[in-house]
Amino acid sequence: MLFNTLEFGLFFVVVFALYYSPLLKNWQTKFLIAASFVFYSWHQPQWSILLVFSIVLNAFVSWKIASSADRSYRLKWAIVCVAINVLLLFLFKYASLLGFVAAKLSHSSRLAEIVSDVMLPVGISFYTFEGISLLVDSYKNRNREERQNPAGFPQHLKNTALFFSFFPHLAAGPIVRPYQFFPQIERKEFSNIQWNFVIETLIVGYFFKNVVADNLVVHTSGVLTDCGSFSSINDIAALLGYSARIFSDFAGYSLIAIGLAAALGYQLPPNFNFPYRSQSLAEFWHRWHITLSTWIRDYLYIPMGGNKKGEMRTYLNLIAVMFLGGLWHGGKIGFALWGLFHGVLLCAERVLKLNRANHNVWIISSRILCTFVLVTIAWLLFALPLHLVPHYFASVIANGKFSINYQHVFLISLFSAPVIVWHLCDLLREKQIVFPGKVFALGSMLFLIVTDSGVPQDFVYFQF
Amino acid sequence: MRIIFTAIALLIIYQTAILFGAVPFGTGRDNVETNCITSENWRYKKSLPDVILVGSSKTNFIDYDVLGPKFFHLGYGGQGCLTGLEILHKSRHIPKLILVEVSDTLQWPANTQCVNLGTSEYAIGDWILPMQHRYEPCGVLLHALCPQQIPNDFSREKLIAIQTHQLSIPLREDRRLQLSKNIARAKMMMNDLRSRGATVVLFDIPVERSVSETQFVREASEFVNAQFSTADFAKINYPSSLQHLRTRDGTHLLPSDGTAFSLWLGEALKKL
């Protein structure tokens, strides 16, 4: 079920009404789990089994780990279960890649067909990472309150089930940590809802998704895949628009998830912090898909030694981590190259010491511009199949004489403008200038959601 | 609450502006929107036209100023005449003369969204005018600030070459089957329209010569023409002098050539 559909709207209204009704006052958690499974099973009921398996396995093992004082016993359980999680993710995520390789080796096209038909269960990348963090945190004693839980394993199982399946973040994050979520599981009161926060977050989220991202789809992906038929300016505009689109799609989704969770009394961590005003790629990764980058930092980069084992090792770790981060998006060579591209540039930044603070406005502006351009060029590997990337650059060079389609440029500018304004608002906030007409701006966004939404599209990150 | 009131106030102001005619119709910002606007134009037309042209996006590039106000068109981008025929088939009132474009574009089935938008009993845009596609603020802005331009010669040549290359393929069996199915449906609807008193005449609009000579267009056109016998359906064929009209991209006529075609079409219809 997609957040931007009428069926979800009806689903949420019913869930919300029942959730806060006196009838279900003592059953809120169980009801939310049931509702989440309905949400998850709507289009892919078969994968609920996998979700149940993941919940039971991780709840059982994390409970075992947390209940034992024997360090080697805890470690053994943690390693085995993390390996199972990774294996499951690997099997589903890279089935098509594995099938492709196996078919090449065995010269069997039927094998490739069978394996490529394996659908990716929605949300597996997200709940698997949450499962791993539950296990590791249990091993490291980060979930003390769970360990001391007097209600025992059934309560832990229930909490874990909600932690995994909570529908606002189930399909595409934000990736939540157990220590952030478990303490929040308690009875919620209607009177405690932060209505201003909920309404503002939902309006901005739906505006970014329905008005900005959905309207940019045709003018970005459509043009990029057919770049040979457009002028250089249009091709460049399409790529810039794609940058705005991928931000508004995912940031919009995250804001909707945060807003829906807040309506149900839960606080989800922010996922985006105005990433396109970053002055370096290192800063970009502190601002883009924050919950994934902090997860990778805590569960991959730091255990690998982080930056504590010398310069060379730091560079290697950075490249390896970004490579794996790229592969997390799927079994395509383009994603791996995208990760490598970022990894290498992060190393270059460290070598050239470009991370250091500077107060010159021109230097800051040029750094922001350079970072944005590099990030945008890298999005090509997301936007296009790998074999079309050289074709894109060839079209940009060769199509200079093409007539510019000004309507296309106008639409890209019009729908990308909110992304620029959104980032400028943060600059204003930083300079402690109160954004004038906030209510009018939000009212206008709501007006545009009603009148100017694009054709509803899947969320980009659902495929990951 | 102030946010919601602001949004409602904006909706009321915009609705009032539309009612007073202060908001012009917008341009579709993409194919889907343009097609929706075409259906809405039919749904909200003030009076029944005398003649209607039903077809693909080729129909949209004819000069309607030359043809006059009694002409209306249901031309759908990326679709053939089936969408327009379905709309007329489901409409209570139909024009006296219906011109149906029969060409390789018959391979595309009718689009349900466009048909519903043109014919359903109720639509939210009937009451809340800002929710009509043609009044979408960005489409109105696009129409006001950025009119559609004509590609230069370099672009035209390239686009025609791309299209010629893409259509240099044989007509596959599955496409042939789809064409047969669509033609049967089109014939059924045309017969129904005739039984309701309308005159149905077939026509086609020329495309770029190199495109019309591609294997796909040639085979598809031959197949389609063979299915519509002249004994059953009247057809007006454009003369050989109009066979070499110029297009923007291989398929859609340039304004001057659209005018030339319209002049001929107007004359041909007078002879009917």
Side-chain angles (χ1 to χ4, degrees):
Chain A
M1 212 185 285
L2 295 173
F3 289 165
N4 54 343
T5 55
L6 187 63
E7 61 191 13
F8 177 77
L10 295 172
F11 166 82
F12 189 74
V13 168
V14 172
V15 168
F16 184 81
L18 290 172
Y19 180 70
Y20 285 112
S21 71
L23 276 173
L24 293 172
K25 217 160 72 177
N26 298 323
W27 299 78
Q28 280 182 331
T29 308
K30 284 175 185 162
F31 173 70
L32 216 45
I33 295 167
S36 298
F37 269 90
V38 171
F39 169 85
Y40 191 71
S41 311
W42 201 258
H43 291 302
Q44 293 188 344
Q46 71 276 27
W47 295 126
S48 303
I49 297 164
L50 194 66
L51 180 61
V52 170
F53 172 75
S54 207
I55 289 168
V56 173
L57 176 78
N58 286 294
F60 176 73
V61 176
S62 61
W63 181 256
K64 277 271 183 201
I65 293 169
S67 318
S68 167
D70 182 347
R71 198 178 158 77
S72 68
Y73 174 85
R74 288 147 53 87
L75 184 65
K76 218 166 17 188
W77 274 106
I79 289 173
V80 170
C81 196
V82 167
I84 294 172
N85 275 305
V86 173
L87 186 69
L88 273 179
L89 181 64
F90 190 81
L91 280 178
F92 283 99
K93 198 119 195 177
Y94 307 108
S96 57
L97 185 68
L98 291 174
F100 177 74
V101 173
K104 278 272 172 203
L105 292 176
S106 64
H107 303 288
S108 158
S109 57
R110 180 80 193 111
L111 182 66
E113 258 175 51
I114 293 168
V115 185
S116 65
D117 280 348
V118 177
M119 275 166 64
L120 181 70
V122 168
I124 189 167
S125 315
F126 294 91
Y127 68 71
T128 304
F129 271 29
E130 283 164 353
I132 293 172
S133 59
L134 174 66
L135 295 165
V136 176
D137 287 7
S138 300
Y139 173 70
K140 291 189 172 174
N141 276 335
R142 281 191 199 135
N143 299 329
R144 285 195 190 89
E145 60 283 349
E146 279 301 297
R147 200 177 166 191
Q148 290 153 4
N149 195 335
F153 180 68
Q155 182 69 32
H156 177 66
L157 180 65
K158 192 171 77 178
N159 290 354
T160 308
L162 185 62
F163 169 61
F164 271 65
S165 66
F166 185 49
F167 70 83
H169 81 116
L170 174 59
I175 299 168
V176 189
R177 305 287 185 83
Y179 72 86
Q180 293 167 327
F181 195 83
F182 279 75
Q184 296 187 55
I185 302 175
E186 58 187 7
R187 187 190 293 173
K188 308 290 180 185
E189 299 293 339
F190 183 78
S191 56
N192 291 339
I193 299 172
Q194 307 280 321
W195 281 109
N196 278 348
F197 176 79
V198 171
I199 290 173
E200 286 177 25
T201 313
L202 287 177
I203 288 176
V204 177
Y206 275 109
F207 175 76
F208 271 130
K209 172 61 189 162
N210 290 14
V211 180
V212 180
D214 287 352
N215 274 313
L216 279 172
V217 173
V218 181
H219 306 290
T220 56
S221 298
V223 173
L224 287 172
T225 45
D226 193 20
C227 53
S229 307
F230 291 88
S231 75
S232 310
I233 300 287
N234 288 117
D235 286 343
I236 292 168
L239 183 57
L240 294 172
Y242 187 84
S243 209
R245 180 202 155 194
I246 197 164
F247 166 79
S248 38
D249 189 280
F250 196 21
Y253 173 85
S254 300
L255 286 170
I256 297 168
I258 290 167
L260 294 172
L264 298 168
Y266 287 85
Q267 198 184 347
L268 297 183
N271 224 8
F272 289 87
N273 184 20
F274 307 94
Y276 289 151
R277 54 162 297 197
S278 307
Q279 293 181 44
S280 63
L281 283 173
E283 188 185 349
F284 175 79
W285 282 106
H286 282 108
R287 291 172 174 273
W288 180 275
H289 203 174
I290 299 165
T291 56
L292 175 69
S293 39
T294 49
W295 193 97
I296 288 175
R297 181 196 65 199
D298 294 347
Y299 298 102
L300 218 56
Y301 183 64
I302 292 174
M304 283 164 80
N307 57 3
K308 305 282 182 215
K309 295 196 172 176
E311 280 295 293
M312 274 315 287
R313 182 66 185 269
T314 305
Y315 299 143
L316 273 177
N317 287 346
L318 271 175
I319 292 174
V321 157
M322 292 312 295
F323 174 72
L324 290 172
L327 271 184
W328 172 86
H329 291 86
K332 287 183 183 161
I333 299 165
F335 292 139
L337 286 178
W338 174 81
L340 275 179
F341 180 83
H342 273 276
V344 169
L345 287 176
L346 281 170
C347 293
E349 269 183 8
R350 273 186 90 92
V351 172
L352 300 170
K353 300 191 178 6
L354 294 175
N355 297 340
R356 291 187 179 166
N358 196 303
H359 298 292
N360 184 310
V361 177
W362 290 105
I363 293 176
I364 291 174
S365 307
S366 52
R367 278 182 174 184
I368 291 175
L369 188 67
C370 282
T371 308
F372 175 74
V373 169
L374 287 172
V375 168
T376 300
I377 290 172
W379 287 138
L380 261 184
L381 294 161
F382 265 64
L384 291 175
L386 194 57
H387 68 278
L388 285 182
V389 174
H391 179 59
Y392 172 81
F393 288 112
S395 296
V396 169
I397 294 163
N399 289 2
K401 283 189 198 165
F402 251 83
S403 1
I404 300 166
N405 183 337
Y406 288 106
Q407 284 200 335
H408 173 255
V409 176
F410 174 80
L411 287 168
I412 293 270
S413 314
L414 184 70
F415 290 118
S416 301
V419 177
I420 299 166
V421 173
W422 178 248
H423 284 76
L424 285 176
C425 285
D426 189 49
L427 282 174
L428 289 179
R429 188 189 54 78
E430 205 173 73
K431 298 210 180 305
Q432 300 190 324
I433 301 168
V434 180
F435 180 67
K438 186 181 165 191
V439 172
F440 182 75
L442 287 164
S444 304
M445 284 183 187
L446 186 55
F447 168 73
L448 289 170
I449 292 169
V450 174
T451 58
D452 231 333
S453 289
V455 179
Q457 307 281 337
D458 281 0
F459 289 93
V460 173
Y461 265 70
F462 267 29
Q463 60 182 303
F464 304 141
Chain B
M1 285 310 274
R2 281 192 301 158
I3 297 166
I4 294 164
F5 283 134
T6 307
I8 293 170
L10 284 171
L11 270 173
I12 292 169
I13 292 166
Y14 198 54
Q15 169 115 351
T16 313
I18 294 169
L19 281 172
F20 279 95
V23 182
F25 292 166
T27 308
R29 52 184 182 255
D30 54 49
N31 226 9
V32 176
E33 289 297 330
T34 308
N35 289 342
C36 290
I37 290 172
T38 303
S39 290
E40 279 181 348
N41 287 343
W42 171 257
R43 183 184 187 88
Y44 302 114
K45 64 191 177 307
K46 286 186 178 134
S47 60
L48 196 64
D50 286 349
V51 185
I52 189 160
L53 283 83
V54 178
S56 67
S57 57
K58 289 195 283 183
T59 320
N60 299 343
F61 291 83
I62 294 175
D63 192 339
Y64 288 92
D65 290 337
V66 167
L67 290 171
K70 288 182 178 173
F71 281 72
F72 193 91
H73 65 102
L74 287 172
Y76 290 92
Q79 297 167 45
C81 64
L82 278 179
T83 305
L85 282 174
E86 289 283 359
I87 288 176
L88 293 178
H89 178 60
K90 289 184 179 173
S91 296
R92 280 195 200 133
H93 306 289
I94 51 170
K96 288 176 228 160
L97 179 59
I98 300 168
L99 293 178
V100 183
E101 176 201 318
V102 284
S103 65
D104 58 305
T105 55
L106 256 166
Q107 63 180 302
W108 309 117
N111 179 283
T112 319
Q113 189 195 5
C114 294
V115 174
N116 289 340
L117 208 53
T119 57
S120 61
E121 195 108 351
Y122 305 105
I124 195 154
D126 297 351
W127 300 285
I128 307 171
L129 303 183
M131 291 189 78
Q132 288 180 17
H133 292 268
R134 53 192 187 162
Y135 291 123
E136 283 184 353
C138 77
V140 172
L141 268 180
L142 182 70
H143 180 68
L145 301 176
C146 207
Q148 198 176 43
Q149 78 266 32
I150 302 155
N152 62 21
D153 287 344
F154 180 82
S155 307
R156 283 188 55 237
E157 275 172 32
K158 274 262 196 181
L159 292 170
I160 292 165
I162 290 170
Q163 198 164 140
T164 308
H165 173 72
Q166 285 172 344
L167 292 168
S168 296
I169 48 167
L171 176 65
R172 284 199 323 252
E173 202 46 47
D174 55 335
R175 287 273 176 97
R176 204 179 283 267
L177 275 173
Q178 184 67 49
L179 265 173
S180 299
K181 243 201 283 181
N182 292 350
I183 289 168
R185 176 82 188 149
K187 277 182 177 174
M188 189 280 283
M189 288 188 288
M190 284 190 244
N191 285 330
D192 169 70
L193 292 169
R194 287 202 293 202
S195 69
R196 289 164 63 192
T199 306
V200 177
V201 177
L202 312 183
F203 82 116
D204 193 11
I205 299 166
V207 294
E208 200 73 36
R209 189 180 183 181
S210 60
V211 173
S212 66
E213 285 172 357
T214 56
Q215 190 180 0
F216 182 85
V217 175
R218 218 180 45 242
E219 288 180 9
S221 302
E222 278 168 13
F223 182 77
V224 170
N225 288 332
Q227 307 288 312
F228 289 100
S229 75
T230 43
D232 292 337
F233 293 97
K235 185 173 183 187
I236 44 174
N237 292 306
Y238 51 82
S240 54
S241 59
L242 290 179
Q243 267 174 358
H244 306 309
L245 290 180
R246 292 171 314 142
T247 59
R248 295 155 192 259
D249 49 11
T251 312
H252 306 107
L253 293 173
L254 281 169
S256 56
D257 299 73
T259 305
F261 183 79
S262 301
L263 286 168
W264 167 79
L265 185 67
E267 289 303 315
L269 290 178
K270 277 180 198 164
K271 289 176 195 163
L272 277 177

